[in-house]
């Protein structure tokens, strides 16, 4: 029972992060499932299945709040579904010994990317330029969908970040469009795992409680997408993913790294993570002050 309650809370927290930041459900919840000993393929399958219902609710909530660009969704979701199905089949056919370090490596890379993305780079502002083309959105969806299945997450970190970097959409519409498209991605990924694994190894009680937590969080997350401080939240999520996947990657046979005292390694990660989060909070408040000053200038001129 304690495990089910914990997983329900994980589903709720992961969907709050995912729906408000446009990324984080897969990498957060998959990391926890790997920590409790779930095989990589079953962990990713469980996450995909639990997201089918929560992403439907999240997408509907974002649509109701006006956070969705139909042009983007129509051109990114179908390629994303193809990539997710292919990635699920690939992961289903890898041995657990090979798949574990592979998934943790992908998760570690995504966590580092999130941490650095929100700590070191400016958040793009929409420019109002021409609409995004299919030639850009289709390959992006294919890669992001593939990463989502093989890494237990990746649709948001890859898709949301790439769309934000173009500067052509409001952040809330990037997050809403990615959330709507993710429904097709997790549905296709779930079908891929059903074909590759069957459903016998999946604990549907785990799926159910994570789904329930996600459903409860979805409308709140869509509302938070308008006001959540993305910088510190992105840094907190990224650092957590780095912390929890580092040990698996360093312990892989192919890593061939010199031995590092465990306490020193994790102490260094914690210190860097805390410094990054503190820096992000400072940047967030500085940006708010700058935005407030810009808003006061026309009033002073009038």
């Amino acid at each position: 029972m304690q495990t089910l309650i914990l997983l329900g809370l994980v589903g709720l927290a992961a969907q709050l992060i995912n729906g408000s930041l446009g990324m984080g459900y897969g990498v957060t919840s998959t990391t926890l499932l790997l920590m409790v000993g779930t095989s990589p393929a079953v962990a990713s399958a469980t996450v995909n299945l639990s997201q089918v219902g929560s992403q439907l609710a999240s997408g509907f909530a974002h649509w109701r709040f006006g956070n969705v660009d139909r042009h983007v969704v129509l051109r990114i979701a179908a390629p994303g579904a193809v990539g997710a199905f292919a990635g699920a089949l690939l992961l289903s056919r890898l041995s657990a010994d090979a798949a574990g370090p592979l998934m943790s490596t992908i998760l570690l890379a995504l966590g580092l990317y999130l941490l650095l993305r929100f700590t070191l780079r400016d958040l793009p502002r929409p420019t109002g330029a021409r609409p995004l083309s299919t030639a850009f959105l289709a390959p992006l969806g294919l890669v992001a969908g593939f990463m989502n299945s093989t890494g237990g997450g990746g649709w948001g970190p890859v898709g949301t970040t790439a769309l934000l970097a173009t500067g052509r959409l409001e952040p809330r519409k990037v997050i809403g469009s990615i959330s709507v498209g993710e429904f097709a991605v997790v549905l296709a990924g779930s079908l891929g795992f059903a074909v590759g694994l069957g459903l016998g190894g999946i604990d549907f009680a785990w799926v159910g409680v994570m789904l329930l937590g996600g459903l409860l969080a979805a409308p709140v997350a869509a509302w938070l997408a308008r006001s959540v401080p993305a910088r510190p939240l992105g840094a907190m999520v990224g650092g957590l993913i780095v912390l929890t996947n580092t040990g698996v990657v360093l312990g892989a046979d192919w890593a061939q790294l010199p031995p590092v005292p465990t306490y020193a390694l994790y102490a260094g990660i914690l210190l860097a993570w805390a410094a990054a989060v503190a820096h992000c909070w400072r940047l967030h408040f500085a940006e708010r002050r700058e935005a407030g000053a810009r808003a006061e200038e026309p009033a002073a001129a009038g």
Side-chain angles (χ1 to χ4, degrees):
M1 179 59 71
Q2 289 179 338
T3 300
L4 293 180
I5 293 173
L6 175 61
L7 289 170
L9 293 174
V10 168
L12 188 147
Q15 187 58 44
L16 278 175
I17 294 166
N18 189 73
S20 56
L21 191 60
M23 61 187 79
Y25 186 101
V27 289
T28 303
S29 50
T30 301
T31 294
L32 177 72
L33 291 177
L34 291 176
M35 288 175 62
V36 299
T38 309
S39 73
V42 171
S44 190
T46 302
V47 170
N48 273 265
L49 283 168
S50 70
Q51 274 191 282
V52 170
S54 61
Q55 282 307 130
L56 181 61
S58 177
F60 179 74
H62 276 292
W63 174 74
R64 289 292 302 272
F65 279 103
N67 295 344
V68 177
D69 186 310
R70 291 176 59 194
H71 169 89
V72 171
V73 173
L74 291 174
R75 288 161 175 79
I76 200 172
V82 172
F85 186 83
L89 289 180
L90 173 64
L91 189 63
S92 299
R93 283 160 172 72
L94 291 177
S95 68
D97 290 341
L102 171 64
M103 180 175 281
S104 287
T105 300
I106 295 173
L107 290 169
L108 178 61
L110 291 172
L112 280 170
Y113 187 83
L114 285 177
L115 185 62
L116 297 174
R117 172 70 183 80
F118 287 94
T119 304
L120 301 179
R121 294 184 59 186
D122 291 335
L123 298 180
R125 296 184 175 89
T127 62
R130 65 187 184 280
L132 293 162
S133 67
T134 303
F136 170 76
L137 292 172
L140 173 63
L142 189 68
V143 172
F146 184 84
M147 291 286 289
N148 199 72
S149 289
T150 54
W155 176 255
V158 175
T160 299
T161 303
L163 292 183
L164 282 174
T166 67
R168 297 185 188 180
L169 285 176
E170 297 175 67
R172 68 184 182 92
K173 289 202 170 184
V174 169
I175 293 168
S177 300
I178 287 294
S179 293
V180 171
E182 191 165 8
F183 171 73
V185 170
V186 296
L187 182 60
S190 297
L191 291 174
F193 283 115
V195 172
L197 288 176
L199 299 177
I202 298 172
D203 190 328
F204 283 93
W206 288 21
V207 173
V209 294
M210 290 179 67
L211 171 59
L212 178 60
L215 288 173
L216 292 174
V220 179
W223 175 76
L224 286 174
R226 293 170 175 253
S227 57
V228 67
R231 275 195 187 279
L233 181 57
M236 285 186 281
V237 173
L240 177 63
I241 295 163
V242 169
L243 183 70
T244 51
N245 285 282
T246 297
V248 177
V249 174
L250 294 182
D253 293 337
W254 47 262
Q256 297 296 319
L257 295 174
V260 178
T262 302
Y263 69 89
L265 174 65
Y266 285 104
I269 293 173
L270 286 169
L271 286 173
W273 183 18
V277 171
H279 179 65
C280 285
W281 276 112
R282 287 194 296 269
L283 287 176
H284 169 67
F285 288 121
E287 288 166 354
R288 285 184 59 182
R289 289 192 296 269
E290 181 183 344
R294 286 199 304 267
E296 291 175 0
E297 287 177 2

